[in-house]
Amino acid sequence: MTAPAKRITDIGPPHYEKFLPPIIKRNYGQWKYHESLAPGVLCHVSETGDKLYSVRAASPRLLSIKTIRYFADLADKYCDGYLRFTSRNNVEFLLDDPGKIELLKQELRDAGYPVGGTNNAISNIVHTQGWVHCHSSATDASGIVKSVMDALCDHFTQQNLPAKLRIAVACCLNMCGAVHCSDIAILGIHRKPPKIKHDVLPKVCEVPTLIASCPTGAIRPKTVDGKQSVEVVEEQCMYCGNCYTVCPAMPLNDPENDGISIWVGGKVSNARTAPKFTKLAIPFLPNNPPRWPEVVDAVVNIVNVYSQGAKKFERVGEWIERIGWPRFFQLTGIEFTRYHIDDFKNAGQTYARSTHIRF
Amino acid sequence: MDNDEKKSKTPLLDELEKGPWPSFVTEIKKTNNETCQDLLGQLELSYEERKGHWKHGGLVGVMGYGGGVIGRYSDVPEKFPKVAHFHTLRVNHPSGWFYTSQALRTLCDIWERHGSGLTNMHGSTGDIVFLGTKTDELEPTFKELTEAGFDLGGSGSCVRTPSCCVGEARCEWACYDTMKLCNDLTQAYQDELHRPPFPYKFKFKCAGCPNDCVASIARADLSVIGTWKDQIQQDDAAVTEYAAAGLDIQKDVCERCPTRCMAWDGKKLTIDNGECVRCMHCINVMPKALRPGKEKGATILIGSKAPIVQGALLSSVLVPFVPAAELLDTLKELVSRVWEFWDEYGKNRERVGELIQRVGMANFLDAIGLDPDPAMISAPRDNPYIFFQKKEGE
């Protein structure tokens, strides 16, 4: 018998200290305050007096290794080879020489990576795989993000909103990412029940798991042509697609009926008000690639109405809570429909249970 | 539609190379290999037909691990043979997403040899995502990655890759060392990360203060959010400077305070720290004048998840305060009890948050040996359907 090949496992990620610039190592845990020098440029000042400059630039998240090598070259040229990425997938260059900031900014802009995303701006859109890599997507993610950010790019490079505004995209209601807690969220949805492939279902699916996957109990066991399968009670199905996630024999993609819903008013920070979930603003818009104009117009409209109406520091959800949902629908011109009224568990908590009404 | 001339053209996607925002189509095109050409071709087909073209699921991986690779197969492989296999590898990122140019080039070189040359920097959970390769390339990629000091991240019913905010590396508000805790947790649970042992996925996220820059309260089963116990550190001279510079301290700070525990008499700012809920607003507005207190630590919250199956949840308070120095040991003890209970009582594909909803928080607290605390609730129950314990009622 030959000896098994040496195999390295369970080493985890490399230790972060290897990747920290010397100025950060020297001042780790000793930062005193920070200030914003310009959109996309932060200055952190240490107790020791050291100053660290961060230049933040947009990234499409889906990056070629050619672009990563370009970022590496920029890091070598301007920051001794150190850079990082943010939790919204922007790229940040870390400098200790303020004299290089403008040169770096210019080079990034010339290469097509706008500098910004700080403070009261619309930073990058947290998004998902879409038609680029996922089997359960009701829409594409990258294409919508590109279309929306082309329209809102000035809000990335400037800081003139009442507060920061977070946008997220998820291509199905698994909601990978931050759709359920963002100021504005764009979510892919279906509107038709799954089409059951009875011939393959018993071979590829575990029926109890399939039945348990349904939030509304719409799936029941059924014998079809003498074989074990399931049926879907269509009146109880709201097309979430979770049955397809656990069973390949339940596909529900449908180009005519798949599309987009728009949600508003979520946040994760504890500043002023507690974290909030996003809530439904628009139940359905069509999938209209490559530019999704209906989605772009809807998001731009909400951003504009919010930026005109909200007070300083008010996030979208805080603004809506102050003015009330009826006023939100009135000001944005968004039609209020039966679909906005919750009918899932404990739905009564979202009904208006007072006479506090603005006429 | 099938002739080569038509296949090579992507008129719909070409539209997305225009405009000021960096284009993912340009990223795919500039990678310039046959895999990327077929990916573009298939994506163009999806744009024409308004539906995805990936087959359901796909179980692939590397020896010794139960996760880390997301298998994916085209449903039109005859048209786009180079993406017939298009698997994703999740590579565990370093805490805080800091890199050297050299480390990035090493990763690029490995991925150029073995995959499409496309990445996501980064996946929502935090991983470096290597986007698109064939089954045969998984083991060679893994070998080169581990030799370069990188390991795979998590997928499946396991501890997923923990992530954290930038913390003490570059933020004056960090109340504990998020990058160290994130790295320590990742190393401590390598087995649980690589070999799925649980009813479902389990995520850790570490935020240094209540601003929660990694969205831990919404995107982690176990959310660690930095806070402090003593008084906000206040520099009166700096407050005066903000006022002199035009900040309306009464309106923009005091009236925005959720507990109205601040007063400004035109000269002096007074904070009733006993009433402060540490929301961060005043500190965010005046970072030169106000800072978190000196007695630092974190609040531990549990249970957040997306809607499937029983509705979305935010994490809720489990331990109101743990001193920074005790965080790692406390977390290890806590999750060992949580996992023991979840392993035994959790249903297939039931997140911890849903288990708590099903059995009730009070029973869950009993099971993991924690006492109830009013900081755990936003309000006491408003229904009278109380289960009294037998010994108390008899």
Side-chain angles (χ1 to χ4, degrees):
Chain A
M1 277 178 60
T2 51
K6 271 187 192 166
R7 191 172 177 82
I8 306 169
T9 64
D10 299 273
I11 58 171
H15 198 280
Y16 54 87
E17 273 180 6
K18 290 194 217 169
F19 302 136
L20 298 179
I23 182 172
I24 286 186
K25 277 192 187 166
R26 282 202 305 278
N27 297 287
Y28 199 95
Q30 297 185 75
W31 299 104
K32 192 174 178 191
Y33 66 89
H34 75 279
E35 51 194 349
S36 302
L37 303 184
V41 184
L42 301 174
C43 171
H44 285 82
V45 181
S46 163
E47 300 279 7
T48 66
D50 278 354
K51 288 185 175 180
L52 171 71
Y53 302 90
S54 302
V55 175
R56 183 178 297 173
S59 155
R61 190 180 86 113
L62 193 164
L63 289 181
S64 167
I65 52 174
K66 295 206 168 156
T67 300
I68 297 174
R69 285 177 180 142
Y70 172 70
F71 288 158
D73 291 344
L74 284 182
D76 284 345
K77 191 167 167 186
Y78 293 101
C79 5
D80 298 321
Y82 295 97
L83 74 167
R84 71 177 289 265
F85 291 83
T86 71
S87 60
R88 300 194 76 83
N89 308 310
N90 294 305
V91 60
E92 275 183 351
F93 296 89
L94 306 160
L95 301 83
D96 51 16
D97 177 0
K100 294 177 180 170
I101 293 172
E102 286 307 318
L103 292 169
L104 172 60
K105 280 169 70 177
Q106 193 58 49
E107 192 158 345
L108 281 163
R109 283 193 295 247
D110 291 347
Y113 301 97
V115 173
T118 48
N119 297 309
N120 295 347
I122 296 179
S123 189
N124 211 336
I125 298 184
V126 168
H127 65 278
T128 54
Q129 296 294 11
W131 294 331
V132 175
H133 198 262
C134 191
H135 64 212
S136 72
S137 52
T139 187
D140 190 36
S142 306
I144 294 178
V145 167
K146 165 71 176 156
S147 302
V148 170
M149 284 314 290
D150 275 344
L152 293 173
C153 197
D154 285 349
H155 283 301
F156 182 84
T157 55
Q158 296 166 21
Q159 307 176 136
N160 50 13
L161 290 167
K164 65 181 68 170
L165 195 154
R166 301 304 197 208
I167 304 179
V169 168
C171 40
C172 81
L173 54 60
N174 280 339
M175 294 194 183
C176 301
V179 154
H180 60 311
C181 283
S182 296
D183 293 281
I184 301 177
I186 300 165
L187 175 68
I189 53 159
H190 304 286
R191 292 188 302 167
K192 290 285 174 190
K195 299 171 200 78
I196 308 169
K197 296 179 174 174
H198 294 292
D199 51 336
V200 296
L201 191 144
K203 283 178 253 172
V204 296
C205 303
E206 200 182 77
V207 170
T209 304
L210 170 56
I211 289 170
S213 74
C214 180
T216 57
I219 303 173
R220 298 194 296 218
K222 189 184 180 186
T223 303
V224 179
D225 297 333
K227 283 191 223 162
Q228 189 194 23
S229 187
V230 296
E231 68 175 344
V232 173
V233 182
E234 296 206 355
E235 303 76 57
Q236 274 171 252
C237 174
M238 42 62 187
Y239 337 113
C240 73
N242 196 40
C243 55
Y244 179 62
T245 299
V246 302
C247 172
M250 306 285 285
L252 74 169
N253 282 352
D254 178 343
E256 296 308 316
N257 289 290
D258 292 350
I260 305 293
S261 55
I262 307 283
W263 303 70
V264 295
K267 74 194 262 282
V268 294
S269 130
N270 288 269
R272 299 170 304 284
T273 53
K276 300 177 204 304
F277 282 130
T278 33
K279 289 155 183 93
L280 181 65
I282 303 177
F284 183 79
L285 293 169
N287 259 332
N288 197 354
R291 280 288 175 181
W292 281 269
E294 297 86 353
V295 173
V296 172
D297 288 350
V299 172
V300 168
N301 175 47
I302 294 168
V303 170
N304 288 342
V305 175
Y306 157 75
S307 68
Q308 286 156 21
K311 296 185 177 177
K312 200 170 167 186
F313 303 115
E314 269 181 347
R315 297 282 294 268
V316 171
E318 295 171 304
W319 163 64
I320 297 172
E321 280 182 4
R322 176 171 58 79
I323 64 170
W325 285 94
R327 188 77 83 218
F328 167 81
F329 285 100
Q330 183 187 27
L331 291 173
T332 56
I334 295 170
E335 184 192 4
F336 183 80
T337 70
R338 68 193 312 280
Y339 303 123
H340 290 90
I341 304 174
D342 192 4
D343 48 18
F344 196 55
K345 295 183 306 179
N346 305 318
Q349 292 178 6
T350 62
Y351 304 160
R353 296 176 292 180
S354 78
T355 58
H356 298 182
I357 298 171
R358 291 175 176 89
F359 292 104
Chain B
M1 291 290 285
D2 280 347
N3 65 62
D4 286 349
E5 190 186 73
K6 181 78 181 174
K7 197 168 76 178
S8 68
K9 286 184 183 166
T10 53
L12 293 173
L13 290 172
D14 292 350
E15 285 297 313
L16 293 173
E17 290 202 273
K18 301 168 187 168
W21 191 253
S23 167
F24 73 101
V25 176
T26 305
E27 294 294 322
I28 300 173
K29 281 188 181 176
K30 77 161 75 158
T31 311
N32 194 26
N33 58 44
E34 291 178 331
T35 304
C36 289
Q37 283 162 18
D38 273 8
L39 178 67
L40 267 185
Q42 183 176 313
L43 193 56
E44 179 79 7
L45 184 65
S46 286
Y47 272 53
E48 284 170 15
E49 298 180 350
R50 292 179 290 157
K51 66 171 193 177
H53 275 290
W54 299 106
K55 277 187 202 167
H56 187 283
L59 286 175
V60 291
V62 298
M63 290 260 295
Y65 286 3
V69 185
I70 315 300
R72 195 65 76 212
Y73 300 93
S74 170
D75 75 358
V76 280
E78 65 290 348
K79 281 186 184 165
F80 306 108
K82 296 290 180 184
V83 293
H85 300 210
F86 197 67
H87 311 320
T88 280
L89 287 103
R90 292 185 181 157
V91 181
N92 200 329
H93 67 293
S95 284
W97 299 285
F98 283 90
Y99 297 95
T100 57
S101 52
Q102 186 195 355
L104 285 181
R105 288 194 188 98
T106 302
L107 290 167
C108 290
D109 292 348
I110 294 171
W111 194 225
E112 184 164 50
R113 284 192 286 275
H114 297 293
S116 68
L118 292 177
T119 73
N120 290 150
M121 299 294 274
H122 293 79
S124 293
T125 297
D127 297 287
I128 301 158
V129 174
F130 280 1
L131 195 61
T133 192
K134 298 179 190 333
T135 308
D136 290 350
E137 295 287 356
L138 295 174
E139 285 292 342
T141 313
F142 179 68
K143 183 169 187 291
E144 287 200 39
L145 277 170
T146 49
E147 283 168 1
F150 284 87
D151 201 342
L152 293 186
S155 70
S157 295
C158 66
V159 168
R160 298 292 185 85
T161 302
S163 64
C164 63
C165 73
V166 71
E168 294 185 353
R170 198 199 55 193
C171 184
E172 68 270 27
W173 300 329
C175 295
Y176 70 95
D177 189 344
T178 56
M179 300 219 300
K180 180 171 191 308
L181 184 70
C182 178
N183 191 66
D184 287 346
L185 289 170
T186 309
Q187 293 293 353
Y189 298 120
Q190 281 292 292
D191 190 25
E192 289 82 355
L193 193 156
H194 293 304
R195 297 165 199 90
F198 297 137
Y200 207 7
K201 64 182 89 169
F202 190 94
K203 300 188 181 188
F204 287 100
K205 281 189 167 57
C206 310
C209 83
N211 283 325
D212 201 356
C213 291
V214 278
S216 70
I217 202 165
R219 299 167 68 177
D221 300 87
L222 211 291
S223 320
V224 187
I225 302 180
T227 189
W228 64 96
K229 257 192 152 170
D230 56 344
Q231 303 193 333
I232 289 175
Q233 299 183 64
Q234 186 174 338
D235 179 341
D236 287 328
V239 175
T240 309
E241 278 177 41
Y242 274 107
L247 180 71
D248 187 336
I249 292 181
Q250 179 60 34
K251 187 161 166 250
D252 291 337
V253 182
C254 298
E255 290 174 18
R256 287 280 170 203
C257 170
T259 63
R260 300 293 191 274
C261 71
M262 310 181 82
W264 170 246
D265 65 4
K267 289 176 190 154
K268 165 93 178 144
L269 181 72
T270 313
I271 305 175
D272 179 356
N273 278 276
E275 292 301 308
C276 169
V277 289
R278 298 159 179 82
C279 83
M280 292 297 294
H281 174 76
C282 60
I283 295 174
N284 291 345
V285 175
M286 300 193 287
K288 289 184 188 173
L290 301 177
R291 299 165 73 186
K294 291 178 176 169
E295 192 183 346
K296 291 176 179 171
T299 302
I300 299 173
L301 304 92
I302 192 163
S304 76
K305 56 177 281 295
I308 294 293
V309 178
Q310 298 295 334
L313 294 170
L314 291 166
S315 286
S316 68
V317 173
L318 191 62
V319 187
F321 187 81
V322 181
E326 298 168 21
L327 260 177
L328 182 62
D329 289 342
T330 303
L331 279 167
K332 282 184 178 173
E333 176 63 31
L334 198 61
V335 297
S336 74
R337 297 187 204 175
V338 170
W339 290 346
E340 192 182 340
F341 181 68
W342 184 41
D343 272 346
E344 185 157 359
Y345 294 97
K347 292 183 182 174
N348 184 25
R349 296 174 67 84
E350 184 174 48
R351 295 284 284 269
V352 163
E354 288 190 342
L355 171 65
I356 295 171
Q357 298 277 302
R358 181 164 60 84
V359 304
M361 178 60 94
N363 288 329
F364 177 74
L365 293 174
D366 276 350
I368 64 167
L370 284 185
D371 290 329
D373 185 312
M376 294 171 177
I377 54 164
S378 62
R381 68 194 309 149
D382 57 9
N383 63 66
Y385 306 148
I386 306 166
F387 290 95
F388 282 102
Q389 290 177 309
K390 287 222 168 81
K391 60 185 176 188
E392 290 175 25
E394 281 166 3

